[in-house]
Amino acid sequence: MPSNGLRTSLRTRRWLFSLPPIEWLSLRIQEALIGALRQGPIPQHVAFVMDGNRRFARQSHIETTEGHNLGFEALAKILEICYKAGVKVVTIYAFSIENFKRSKYEVDALMDIAKIKLSQLSQHGDLLDRYGAKIRILGHRSLVNQDVLEAIDRAMELTKHNDKAILNVCFPYTSRDEITSAVQSIVALATPSKSKGRHLETLTEEAVETSDCLLESHPQSRSESPSSNTTMASTVVSGSPNSAPLPLREHIDFAGVHHKEMLDLESISERTITDHLFTADNPPLDLLIRTSGVERLSDFMLWQAHQDTDIEFVDCMWPEFDVWHFLPILLGWGLKRKRFLREVKLDEERTHSRGANLSRDWGHNDYVQEKKGL
Protein backbone atom coordinates (compact mmCIF):
# COMPACT_ATOMS: atom_id res chain seq x y z
CA MET A 1 0.00 0.00 0.00
CA PRO A 2 1.42 3.44 -0.90
CA SER A 3 2.92 5.39 1.98
CA ASN A 4 1.98 8.92 3.05
CA GLY A 5 5.09 10.18 1.29
CA LEU A 6 3.97 8.56 -1.93
CA ARG A 7 0.49 10.06 -1.46
CA THR A 8 2.09 13.48 -1.19
CA SER A 9 4.11 12.89 -4.34
CA LEU A 10 0.98 11.78 -6.17
CA ARG A 11 -0.83 14.96 -5.16
CA THR A 12 2.19 16.96 -6.23
CA ARG A 13 2.23 15.21 -9.59
CA ARG A 14 -1.48 15.90 -10.06
CA TRP A 15 -0.92 19.57 -9.28
CA LEU A 16 2.06 19.73 -11.61
CA PHE A 17 0.15 18.18 -14.50
CA SER A 18 -2.68 20.68 -13.97
CA LEU A 19 -0.38 23.61 -14.84
CA PRO A 20 -1.33 24.87 -18.35
CA PRO A 21 2.06 24.37 -20.08
CA ILE A 22 2.57 20.93 -18.54
CA GLU A 23 -1.02 19.94 -19.25
CA TRP A 24 -0.68 20.99 -22.90
CA LEU A 25 2.57 19.04 -23.30
CA SER A 26 1.07 16.02 -21.54
CA LEU A 27 -1.92 16.00 -23.89
CA ARG A 28 0.35 16.19 -26.94
CA ILE A 29 2.39 13.24 -25.67
CA GLN A 30 -0.78 11.27 -24.95
CA GLU A 31 -2.11 11.90 -28.45
CA ALA A 32 1.19 10.79 -29.97
CA LEU A 33 1.26 7.60 -27.90
CA ILE A 34 -2.36 6.76 -28.69
CA GLY A 35 -1.67 7.35 -32.38
CA ALA A 36 1.29 4.97 -32.20
CA LEU A 37 -0.82 2.35 -30.40
CA ARG A 38 -3.46 2.49 -33.13
CA GLN A 39 -0.86 1.36 -35.65
CA GLY A 40 -0.68 -2.03 -33.97
CA PRO A 41 -3.15 -4.49 -32.44
CA ILE A 42 -5.57 -2.99 -29.92
CA PRO A 43 -7.68 -5.00 -27.45
CA GLN A 44 -11.28 -5.00 -28.59
CA HIS A 45 -12.74 -5.71 -25.16
CA VAL A 46 -11.27 -4.28 -21.94
CA ALA A 47 -12.75 -4.74 -18.46
CA PHE A 48 -12.01 -2.85 -15.25
CA VAL A 49 -12.46 -3.70 -11.59
CA MET A 50 -12.48 -0.14 -10.27
CA ASP A 51 -11.24 -0.95 -6.79
CA GLY A 52 -9.92 1.40 -4.13
CA ASN A 53 -12.31 4.37 -4.01
CA ARG A 54 -13.11 3.92 -0.32
CA ARG A 55 -9.53 3.27 0.72
CA PHE A 56 -8.36 6.27 -1.25
CA ALA A 57 -10.95 8.40 0.54
CA ARG A 58 -9.88 7.14 3.97
CA GLN A 59 -6.20 7.66 3.27
CA SER A 60 -6.86 11.11 1.82
CA HIS A 61 -9.10 12.07 4.79
CA ILE A 62 -12.10 12.85 2.60
CA GLU A 63 -15.69 11.58 2.54
CA THR A 64 -16.30 8.16 1.01
CA THR A 65 -18.74 9.66 -1.49
CA GLU A 66 -16.02 12.06 -2.62
CA GLY A 67 -13.76 9.07 -3.22
CA HIS A 68 -16.44 7.57 -5.47
CA ASN A 69 -16.82 10.88 -7.31
CA LEU A 70 -13.08 11.00 -7.93
CA GLY A 71 -13.34 7.43 -9.17
CA PHE A 72 -15.89 8.53 -11.75
CA GLU A 73 -13.56 11.29 -12.94
CA ALA A 74 -10.83 8.69 -13.41
CA LEU A 75 -13.27 6.49 -15.33
CA ALA A 76 -14.19 9.30 -17.73
CA LYS A 77 -10.52 9.86 -18.60
CA ILE A 78 -9.85 6.14 -19.09
CA LEU A 79 -12.94 5.73 -21.27
CA GLU A 80 -11.75 8.52 -23.53
CA ILE A 81 -8.36 6.85 -23.93
CA CYS A 82 -10.04 3.52 -24.70
CA TYR A 83 -12.30 4.89 -27.39
CA LYS A 84 -9.56 7.06 -28.91
CA ALA A 85 -7.26 4.04 -29.10
CA GLY A 86 -9.92 1.94 -30.83
CA VAL A 87 -11.26 -0.28 -28.04
CA LYS A 88 -14.77 -1.34 -29.05
CA VAL A 89 -16.15 -2.60 -25.73
CA VAL A 90 -15.38 -1.44 -22.19
CA THR A 91 -16.91 -3.31 -19.26
CA ILE A 92 -16.76 -1.84 -15.76
CA TYR A 93 -17.59 -3.43 -12.42
CA ALA A 94 -19.64 -0.57 -11.00
CA PHE A 95 -21.60 -2.29 -8.22
CA SER A 96 -21.49 -5.85 -6.96
CA ILE A 97 -24.55 -7.57 -5.54
CA GLU A 98 -22.35 -8.14 -2.49
CA ASN A 99 -22.12 -4.35 -2.05
CA PHE A 100 -25.66 -4.36 -0.68
CA LYS A 101 -24.07 -5.65 2.53
CA ARG A 102 -22.49 -2.23 3.07
CA SER A 103 -24.16 0.43 5.20
CA LYS A 104 -27.46 1.82 3.95
CA TYR A 105 -25.91 5.28 3.88
CA GLU A 106 -23.16 4.20 1.49
CA VAL A 107 -25.47 2.10 -0.70
CA ASP A 108 -27.91 5.01 -1.05
CA ALA A 109 -25.03 7.36 -1.83
CA LEU A 110 -23.73 4.99 -4.51
CA MET A 111 -27.19 4.76 -6.06
CA ASP A 112 -27.46 8.56 -6.14
CA ILE A 113 -24.03 8.81 -7.74
CA ALA A 114 -25.05 6.19 -10.30
CA LYS A 115 -28.13 8.18 -11.30
CA ILE A 116 -26.16 11.40 -11.70
CA LYS A 117 -23.21 9.88 -13.55
CA LEU A 118 -25.35 7.80 -15.92
CA SER A 119 -27.20 10.97 -16.82
CA GLN A 120 -23.96 12.88 -17.38
CA LEU A 121 -22.38 10.15 -19.50
CA SER A 122 -25.39 9.78 -21.78
CA GLN A 123 -26.09 13.47 -22.44
CA HIS A 124 -25.92 14.69 -26.02
CA GLY A 125 -22.44 15.96 -26.79
CA ASP A 126 -20.86 14.27 -23.79
CA LEU A 127 -18.24 11.52 -23.78
CA LEU A 128 -20.32 8.59 -25.05
CA ASP A 129 -22.08 10.68 -27.67
CA ARG A 130 -18.76 12.01 -29.01
CA TYR A 131 -17.37 8.51 -29.48
CA GLY A 132 -20.61 6.84 -30.56
CA ALA A 133 -20.77 4.52 -27.55
CA LYS A 134 -23.97 3.04 -26.19
CA ILE A 135 -24.58 2.18 -22.54
CA ARG A 136 -25.62 -1.29 -21.50
CA ILE A 137 -26.43 -2.12 -17.90
CA LEU A 138 -25.59 -5.71 -17.03
CA GLY A 139 -27.12 -6.90 -13.81
CA HIS A 140 -29.98 -7.84 -11.56
CA ARG A 141 -32.71 -5.24 -12.10
CA SER A 142 -35.05 -6.46 -9.39
CA LEU A 143 -32.55 -5.41 -6.71
CA VAL A 144 -32.54 -1.77 -7.84
CA ASN A 145 -34.98 0.93 -6.73
CA GLN A 146 -37.46 2.39 -9.19
CA ASP A 147 -35.79 5.80 -9.45
CA VAL A 148 -32.47 4.17 -10.34
CA LEU A 149 -34.19 1.93 -12.90
CA GLU A 150 -35.64 5.01 -14.55
CA ALA A 151 -32.17 6.58 -14.77
CA ILE A 152 -30.82 3.34 -16.24
CA ASP A 153 -33.57 3.18 -18.85
CA ARG A 154 -33.10 6.84 -19.80
CA ALA A 155 -29.36 6.36 -20.29
CA MET A 156 -29.90 3.28 -22.45
CA GLU A 157 -32.59 5.04 -24.47
CA LEU A 158 -30.45 8.13 -25.10
CA THR A 159 -27.49 6.10 -26.36
CA LYS A 160 -29.25 3.21 -28.10
CA HIS A 161 -28.52 4.55 -31.60
CA ASN A 162 -24.76 4.84 -30.97
CA ASP A 163 -23.09 2.00 -32.84
CA LYS A 164 -19.33 2.56 -32.75
CA ALA A 165 -18.57 1.32 -29.24
CA ILE A 166 -20.17 -0.08 -26.08
CA LEU A 167 -19.90 0.71 -22.38
CA ASN A 168 -21.08 -2.23 -20.28
CA VAL A 169 -21.89 -1.12 -16.73
CA CYS A 170 -22.16 -4.12 -14.40
CA PHE A 171 -24.70 -2.89 -11.87
CA PRO A 172 -25.64 -4.74 -9.65
CA TYR A 173 -23.74 -7.77 -10.82
CA THR A 174 -21.82 -10.89 -9.92
CA SER A 175 -20.50 -13.43 -12.37
CA ARG A 176 -22.23 -16.28 -10.54
CA ASP A 177 -25.53 -14.45 -10.91
CA GLU A 178 -24.88 -13.96 -14.63
CA ILE A 179 -24.00 -17.62 -15.18
CA THR A 180 -27.06 -18.69 -13.18
CA SER A 181 -29.25 -16.51 -15.38
CA ALA A 182 -27.69 -18.03 -18.51
CA VAL A 183 -28.32 -21.56 -17.27
CA GLN A 184 -31.93 -20.68 -16.43
CA SER A 185 -32.45 -19.32 -19.94
CA ILE A 186 -30.97 -22.45 -21.48
CA VAL A 187 -33.10 -24.77 -19.36
CA ALA A 188 -36.20 -22.80 -20.33
CA LEU A 189 -35.35 -23.27 -24.02
CA ALA A 190 -34.15 -26.87 -23.81
CA THR A 191 -36.18 -29.66 -25.35
CA PRO A 192 -36.07 -32.73 -23.10
CA SER A 193 -35.19 -36.07 -24.61
CA LYS A 194 -37.75 -38.87 -24.19
CA SER A 195 -35.73 -40.54 -21.47
CA LYS A 196 -35.54 -37.35 -19.43
CA GLY A 197 -38.91 -35.83 -20.25
CA ARG A 198 -40.79 -37.04 -17.18
CA HIS A 199 -37.92 -36.08 -14.87
CA LEU A 200 -37.76 -32.56 -16.31
CA GLU A 201 -41.54 -32.25 -16.12
CA THR A 202 -41.37 -33.05 -12.40
CA LEU A 203 -38.61 -30.49 -11.91
CA THR A 204 -40.66 -27.90 -13.78
CA GLU A 205 -43.69 -28.51 -11.56
CA GLU A 206 -41.49 -28.12 -8.47
CA ALA A 207 -40.02 -24.90 -9.88
CA VAL A 208 -43.52 -23.49 -10.44
CA GLU A 209 -44.50 -24.33 -6.87
CA THR A 210 -41.31 -22.70 -5.58
CA SER A 211 -41.98 -19.66 -7.76
CA ASP A 212 -45.49 -19.28 -6.31
CA CYS A 213 -44.12 -19.47 -2.78
CA LEU A 214 -41.51 -16.83 -3.53
CA LEU A 215 -44.06 -14.54 -5.13
CA GLU A 216 -46.16 -14.75 -1.98
CA SER A 217 -43.06 -13.89 0.08
CA HIS A 218 -42.09 -11.04 -2.27
CA PRO A 219 -45.28 -9.50 -3.69
CA GLN A 220 -43.30 -6.58 -5.14
CA SER A 221 -41.78 -8.94 -7.71
CA ARG A 222 -45.22 -9.27 -9.35
CA SER A 223 -44.99 -5.74 -10.67
CA GLU A 224 -43.88 -5.29 -14.23
CA SER A 225 -40.58 -3.68 -15.09
CA PRO A 226 -40.72 -0.25 -16.72
CA SER A 227 -38.22 -1.36 -19.32
CA SER A 228 -39.23 -3.17 -22.48
CA ASN A 229 -35.77 -4.74 -22.69
CA THR A 230 -36.21 -7.20 -19.82
CA THR A 231 -36.71 -10.91 -19.46
CA MET A 232 -37.90 -12.88 -16.47
CA ALA A 233 -35.86 -15.96 -15.65
CA SER A 234 -36.81 -18.80 -13.35
CA THR A 235 -36.52 -18.59 -9.59
CA VAL A 236 -33.17 -19.22 -7.95
CA VAL A 237 -32.31 -19.05 -4.27
CA SER A 238 -29.13 -17.02 -3.80
CA GLY A 239 -26.58 -17.04 -1.01
CA SER A 240 -26.02 -19.48 1.80
CA PRO A 241 -28.54 -22.19 2.74
CA ASN A 242 -29.72 -20.05 5.64
CA SER A 243 -30.16 -16.87 3.62
CA ALA A 244 -33.58 -15.60 2.63
CA PRO A 245 -34.57 -16.35 -0.98
CA LEU A 246 -34.43 -13.57 -3.53
CA PRO A 247 -37.47 -12.68 -5.63
CA LEU A 248 -37.74 -13.86 -9.21
CA ARG A 249 -34.63 -12.86 -11.11
CA GLU A 250 -35.17 -10.10 -13.60
CA HIS A 251 -32.35 -9.34 -16.01
CA ILE A 252 -31.97 -6.99 -18.91
CA ASP A 253 -31.94 -8.64 -22.31
CA PHE A 254 -28.58 -7.10 -23.17
CA ALA A 255 -27.61 -9.12 -26.21
CA GLY A 256 -31.04 -8.93 -27.81
CA VAL A 257 -30.66 -12.53 -28.98
CA HIS A 258 -33.93 -14.22 -29.92
CA HIS A 259 -33.80 -18.01 -29.90
CA LYS A 260 -36.68 -19.26 -32.01
CA GLU A 261 -35.76 -22.92 -31.94
CA MET A 262 -35.91 -25.09 -28.87
CA LEU A 263 -32.58 -26.46 -27.67
CA ASP A 264 -31.83 -30.14 -27.40
CA LEU A 265 -30.36 -30.99 -24.00
CA GLU A 266 -27.70 -33.12 -25.67
CA SER A 267 -26.50 -30.16 -27.75
CA ILE A 268 -25.77 -27.84 -24.80
CA SER A 269 -22.10 -26.86 -24.79
CA GLU A 270 -19.76 -24.14 -23.54
CA ARG A 271 -20.75 -22.10 -26.57
CA THR A 272 -24.40 -22.37 -25.57
CA ILE A 273 -23.68 -20.80 -22.19
CA THR A 274 -21.52 -18.09 -23.78
CA ASP A 275 -24.39 -17.23 -26.13
CA HIS A 276 -26.73 -16.70 -23.17
CA LEU A 277 -24.49 -14.45 -21.09
CA PHE A 278 -25.07 -10.71 -20.81
CA THR A 279 -22.02 -10.19 -23.06
CA ALA A 280 -23.16 -12.66 -25.73
CA ASP A 281 -22.67 -10.31 -28.68
CA ASN A 282 -19.46 -8.70 -27.41
CA PRO A 283 -15.97 -9.64 -28.63
CA PRO A 284 -13.95 -11.97 -26.38
CA LEU A 285 -12.40 -10.36 -23.31
CA ASP A 286 -8.84 -9.36 -24.21
CA LEU A 287 -7.72 -7.44 -21.15
CA LEU A 288 -8.92 -7.25 -17.54
CA ILE A 289 -7.45 -4.65 -15.17
CA ARG A 290 -7.93 -4.40 -11.43
CA THR A 291 -6.58 -1.56 -9.34
CA SER A 292 -5.74 -1.31 -5.60
CA GLY A 293 -3.14 -4.09 -5.65
CA VAL A 294 -5.68 -6.78 -4.73
CA GLU A 295 -5.08 -9.87 -6.86
CA ARG A 296 -8.45 -11.54 -7.29
CA LEU A 297 -11.40 -11.22 -9.67
CA SER A 298 -14.09 -10.84 -6.98
CA ASP A 299 -16.79 -12.66 -8.95
CA PHE A 300 -16.35 -10.54 -12.08
CA MET A 301 -16.29 -11.86 -15.66
CA LEU A 302 -15.34 -15.35 -14.50
CA TRP A 303 -16.69 -17.04 -17.62
CA GLN A 304 -15.44 -14.39 -20.04
CA ALA A 305 -11.85 -14.48 -18.69
CA HIS A 306 -10.49 -17.18 -21.00
CA GLN A 307 -7.01 -18.57 -21.61
CA ASP A 308 -6.00 -15.65 -23.85
CA THR A 309 -7.22 -12.89 -21.53
CA ASP A 310 -4.44 -10.76 -20.07
CA ILE A 311 -5.12 -9.94 -16.40
CA GLU A 312 -3.27 -6.96 -14.92
CA PHE A 313 -3.26 -6.13 -11.20
CA VAL A 314 -2.17 -2.53 -10.67
CA ASP A 315 -0.88 -1.31 -7.30
CA CYS A 316 -2.71 2.00 -7.14
CA MET A 317 -6.20 3.04 -6.10
CA TRP A 318 -8.76 3.59 -8.84
CA PRO A 319 -8.95 7.41 -8.43
CA GLU A 320 -5.17 7.45 -9.02
CA PHE A 321 -5.32 5.27 -12.13
CA ASP A 322 -4.55 7.49 -15.09
CA VAL A 323 -3.19 7.53 -18.61
CA TRP A 324 0.38 6.91 -17.43
CA HIS A 325 -0.73 3.69 -15.74
CA PHE A 326 -2.97 2.62 -18.60
CA LEU A 327 -0.95 3.33 -21.74
CA PRO A 328 1.98 1.06 -20.73
CA ILE A 329 -0.53 -1.75 -20.18
CA LEU A 330 -2.01 -1.22 -23.64
CA LEU A 331 1.49 -1.09 -25.11
CA GLY A 332 2.47 -4.31 -23.34
CA TRP A 333 -0.68 -6.04 -24.58
CA GLY A 334 0.03 -4.93 -28.14
CA LEU A 335 3.61 -6.22 -28.03
CA LYS A 336 2.49 -9.60 -26.67
CA ARG A 337 -0.18 -9.80 -29.33
CA LYS A 338 2.35 -9.05 -32.06
CA ARG A 339 4.62 -11.82 -30.77
CA PHE A 340 1.69 -14.22 -30.69
CA LEU A 341 0.64 -13.38 -34.25
CA ARG A 342 4.24 -13.71 -35.42
CA GLU A 343 4.49 -17.17 -33.83
CA VAL A 344 1.22 -18.22 -35.46
CA LYS A 345 2.50 -17.05 -38.83
CA LEU A 346 5.78 -18.94 -38.36
CA ASP A 347 3.88 -22.11 -37.44
CA GLU A 348 1.76 -21.78 -40.58
CA GLU A 349 4.87 -21.27 -42.70
CA ARG A 350 6.54 -24.33 -41.17
CA THR A 351 3.43 -26.42 -41.79
CA HIS A 352 3.23 -25.19 -45.36
CA SER A 353 6.94 -25.86 -45.88
CA ARG A 354 6.63 -29.42 -44.57
CA GLY A 355 3.69 -30.02 -46.87
CA ALA A 356 5.61 -28.65 -49.84
CA ASN A 357 8.58 -30.89 -49.07
CA LEU A 358 6.37 -33.95 -48.82
CA SER A 359 4.69 -33.10 -52.08
CA ARG A 360 8.04 -32.62 -53.82
CA ASP A 361 9.51 -35.88 -52.47
CA TRP A 362 6.54 -38.14 -53.10
CA GLY A 363 5.05 -36.48 -56.09
CA HIS A 364 1.76 -34.68 -55.94
CA ASN A 365 -0.46 -37.65 -56.77
CA ASP A 366 1.24 -40.00 -54.33
CA TYR A 367 1.02 -37.36 -51.62
CA VAL A 368 -2.71 -36.91 -52.19
CA GLN A 369 -3.28 -40.66 -52.10
CA GLU A 370 -1.23 -40.96 -48.93
CA LYS A 371 -3.25 -38.21 -47.23
CA LYS A 372 -6.50 -39.89 -48.23
CA GLY A 373 -5.30 -43.14 -46.74
CA LEU A 374 -4.52 -41.61 -43.32
Side-chain angles (χ1 to χ4, degrees):
M1 184 175 294
S3 63
N4 290 332
L6 182 55
R7 293 284 175 206
T8 303
S9 67
L10 289 170
R11 286 194 291 269
T12 303
R13 189 182 73 173
R14 187 172 295 173
W15 170 81
L16 183 64
F17 275 85
S18 67
L19 297 175
I22 303 298
E23 184 180 19
W24 180 87
L25 180 61
S26 174
L27 288 174
R28 300 288 79 76
I29 295 173
Q30 288 180 35
E31 294 294 336
L33 289 173
I34 291 172
L37 284 171
R38 289 180 65 92
Q39 303 307 310
I42 289 291
Q44 294 302 288
H45 188 174
V46 179
F48 296 95
V49 180
M50 305 181 295
D51 192 23
N53 291 339
R54 291 196 301 170
R55 274 171 285 171
F56 179 83
R58 285 197 299 267
Q59 293 162 9
S60 302
H61 307 291
I62 59 177
E63 289 289 331
T64 301
T65 52
E66 182 60 22
H68 291 303
N69 279 317
L70 291 173
F72 173 78
E73 292 179 11
L75 171 63
K77 294 175 182 177
I78 294 302
L79 285 177
E80 186 154 22
I81 295 169
C82 285
Y83 296 139
K84 277 185 178 180
V87 176
K88 297 300 182 185
V89 179
V90 177
T91 301
I92 60 172
Y93 202 1
F95 192 89
S96 167
I97 292 175
E98 298 298 317
N99 289 155
F100 283 110
K101 296 177 181 178
R102 296 181 180 180
S103 68
K104 185 179 184 302
Y105 171 79
E106 185 176 356
V107 171
D108 290 345
L110 285 169
M111 293 296 169
D112 289 339
I113 291 172
K115 289 189 295 183
I116 295 169
K117 301 310 180 184
L118 281 172
S119 176
Q120 290 178 358
L121 279 173
S122 56
Q123 289 301 316
H124 177 70
D126 213 306
L127 177 67
L128 298 184
D129 190 58
R130 292 202 310 271
Y131 292 99
K134 70 174 66 175
I135 289 180
R136 286 181 170 180
I137 310 296
L138 317 187
H140 197 143
R141 286 179 64 98
S142 62
L143 298 177
V144 181
N145 292 335
Q146 182 64 31
D147 57 336
V148 182
L149 284 177
E150 291 172 357
I152 287 172
D153 293 333
R154 279 196 302 272
M156 294 176 66
E157 179 67 23
L158 286 170
T159 62
K160 69 179 182 180
H161 297 298
N162 295 345
D163 58 2
K164 294 181 180 178
I166 293 172
L167 172 61
N168 290 326
V169 182
C170 295
F171 175 92
Y173 169 96
T174 63
S175 190
R176 288 174 297 171
D177 186 71
E178 178 186 22
I179 294 170
T180 299
S181 177
V183 172
Q184 290 172 342
S185 300
I186 293 167
V187 170
L189 290 169
T191 303
S193 61
K194 293 182 180 180
S195 61
K196 299 178 182 178
R198 184 169 299 278
H199 176 63
L200 186 61
E201 183 179 348
T202 303
L203 290 177
T204 304
E205 291 174 355
E206 292 175 356
V208 171
E209 292 174 1
T210 305
S211 174
D212 291 339
C213 292
L214 287 174
L215 282 172
E216 292 175 4
S217 303
H218 302 273
Q220 70 275 17
S221 63
R222 292 180 182 272
S223 61
E224 295 183 358
S225 166
S227 171
S228 60
N229 295 327
T230 61
T231 56
M232 292 296 291
S234 57
T235 304
V236 174
V237 178
S238 177
S240 64
N242 297 324
S243 63
L246 291 173
L248 285 178
R249 292 177 181 272
E250 182 183 2
H251 295 281
I252 299 175
D253 184 11
F254 309 101
V257 178
H258 299 283
H259 302 273
K260 296 182 179 179
E261 297 182 1
M262 298 293 285
L263 292 173
D264 190 322
L265 288 174
E266 304 299 331
S267 69
I268 294 174
S269 63
E270 290 183 13
R271 183 67 201 178
T272 310
I273 296 176
T274 299
D275 289 343
H276 285 79
L277 295 174
F278 299 155
T279 56
D281 60 344
N282 292 164
L285 181 61
D286 293 315
L287 178 61
L288 191 155
I289 298 171
R290 177 172 185 153
T291 54
S292 83
V294 175
E295 298 185 1
R296 61 174 182 267
L297 297 184
S298 296
D299 211 350
F300 177 61
M301 305 289 279
L302 299 182
W303 187 275
Q304 292 87 343
H306 54 88
Q307 68 272 13
D308 294 324
T309 301
D310 274 14
I311 300 177
E312 297 282 346
F313 298 107
V314 184
D315 192 15
C316 74
M317 302 304 171
W318 176 253
E320 300 166 337
F321 188 74
D322 60 15
V323 61
W324 306 113
H325 293 96
F326 187 37
L327 285 179
I329 294 174
L330 286 179
L331 178 61
W333 186 92
L335 292 174
K336 282 188 280 188
R337 185 65 179 170
K338 282 182 178 179
R339 285 197 298 269
F340 172 76
L341 294 175
R342 188 162 54 246
E343 290 171 1
V344 169
K345 184 178 180 181
L346 287 173
D347 287 342
E348 290 176 350
E349 290 175 351
R350 292 191 193 101
T351 302
H352 178 74
S353 177
R354 284 196 296 268
N357 290 335
L358 286 171
S359 179
R360 185 169 56 252
D361 293 342
W362 295 352
H364 180 69
N365 292 333
D366 291 338
Y367 175 67
V368 171
Q369 292 299 322
E370 182 71 12
K371 292 294 286 183
K372 287 182 177 179
L374 291 177

